[in-house]
Amino acid sequence: MPAMAPVDEWAVSIDLGVNAARGNSVYSMLTSGLRVTHLVKMQYRTVDKVVDYIPGDFKKGVDIKAFPDLNSIILSGSEPRIMEIESFLRQIDQVVPMVMIEVIIID
C-alpha cells in the first residue's frame, strides 16, 4: 500500500470511515488533534520540586516536563486535565512570605 500524503483536517473527517477500517493512520491523526500542549510559567516557585507536588489524579493521561531554563512546566494531554493542573499550579504559585529579622549586638 502506498504511503499516505499529509491530509487536511476536513479530509480526515471525510476519509475516517474508509481509512480507519483499513488500519491507516488517519484515525490516529484525528485523535492526536485532541491532545494539546501548554507552557505554564511559574513566577514565585521554582519548577525543581513543583512537578512532585501535583496530585497523582491530575497527572493521569498528561505528560509533565519541567523546563528549568524558563522556570516553566510543559503540559501535554487532554484540555480538561491540563486546565485542572494549571489551576492547581496557580494556587501554589504564590509569593512566599519572608520575615526580616534585624539583630544588633551591643557589647
Side-chain angles (χ1 to χ4, degrees):
M1 181 177 292
M4 290 181 52
V7 183
D8 290 335
E9 200 168 325
W10 64 270
V12 170
S13 63
I14 293 170
D15 292 337
L16 180 61
V18 175
N19 289 316
R22 292 183 195 156
N24 289 344
S25 61
V26 174
Y27 181 72
S28 64
M29 287 172 27
L30 180 64
T31 56
S32 69
L34 300 175
R35 191 168 186 86
V36 295
T37 302
H38 286 212
L39 179 71
V40 180
K41 293 184 180 183
M42 304 299 288
Q43 294 179 347
Y44 306 109
R45 303 277 183 195
T46 58
V47 296
D48 299 333
K49 300 281 184 175
V50 170
V51 175
D52 298 334
Y53 299 140
I54 299 172
D57 293 343
F58 291 172
K59 291 182 181 181
K60 291 180 183 174
V62 177
D63 293 327
I64 302 172
K65 302 286 184 201
F67 191 44
D69 295 342
L70 292 177
N71 197 39
S72 301
I73 297 174
I74 301 170
L75 304 171
S76 180
S78 69
E79 185 78 25
R81 291 277 186 189
I82 288 179
M83 297 310 285
E84 286 179 336
I85 295 172
E86 282 184 355
S87 174
F88 174 78
L89 292 173
R90 294 292 168 237
Q91 289 176 9
I92 65 170
D93 189 27
Q94 302 292 323
V95 176
V96 178
M98 299 180 79
V99 177
M100 184 176 148
I101 299 174
E102 188 174 320
V103 178
I104 299 175
I105 301 174
I106 301 176
D107 189 28

